[in-house]
Amino acid sequence: MGWQTNRILETIGTATGGTQSINYNLEAIEALMVTLQADVADGIRPPNSTTGGTGPTDFTSTSYGTIATASTGRLGCTIFNSGPGNLHVMLGTATASTSAFSVRLSAGDYFEVPFNYTGLIGGIFATAGTAEVTQLS
């Protein structure tokens, strides 16, 4: 796939000017799409795609705790607040509290950690609660 993609992008770069350029670019983009579809059919994964994960694991702490440790292999992480309490999530090494947090999840809320964030994820429940955490790798 690599050399084909590069060739198409090189070709697109040389086309300039008006309707002819637009049509030329559309043809090159369509060719790229055909190549990508064939790669997917052959089981070739795009960069940073995921085939596995861990979880869900439960997070229930009413004092600050680690929801997910920092991991360079993590491609994503989801958090679902399945319990009654509000969960305060902190991205980074700062300690989460009920007044300092990155995001607050009420009962039934779902959060997808930003794509490719590999740092520490911490949190605290304001009152008793349970969150389901799934890490993708």
Side-chain angles (χ1 to χ4, degrees):
M1 177 177 89
W3 71 270
Q4 292 170 328
T5 303
N6 290 337
R7 176 69 181 116
I8 291 169
L9 294 176
E10 288 170 8
T11 305
I12 290 173
T14 60
T16 58
T19 305
Q20 181 181 3
S21 175
I22 292 170
N23 290 336
Y24 191 77
N25 288 339
L26 288 175
E27 289 173 9
I29 291 168
E30 287 173 354
L32 177 60
M33 293 303 298
V34 168
T35 300
L36 292 174
Q37 289 170 341
D39 287 344
V40 169
D42 290 339
I44 298 172
R45 293 181 354 174
N48 292 332
S49 63
T50 182
T51 60
T54 60
T57 58
D58 289 344
F59 177 80
T60 59
S61 184
T62 54
S63 60
Y64 176 79
T66 298
I67 294 174
T69 59
S71 171
T72 57
R74 181 176 62 227
L75 297 177
C77 182
T78 64
I79 304 169
F80 174 69
N81 185 358
S82 59
N86 288 331
L87 173 60
H88 300 81
V89 177
M90 178 65 79
L91 301 179
T93 57
T95 301
S97 70
T98 57
S99 60
F101 51 88
S102 300
V103 64
R104 182 184 72 200
L105 302 176
S106 299
D109 285 350
Y110 171 82
F111 176 63
E112 289 184 357
V113 175
F115 182 72
N116 279 339
Y117 174 74
T118 60
L120 178 70
I121 304 169
I124 181 172
F125 270 101
T127 59
T130 302
E132 308 297 326
V133 180
T134 302
Q135 294 192 67
L136 307 171
S137 56

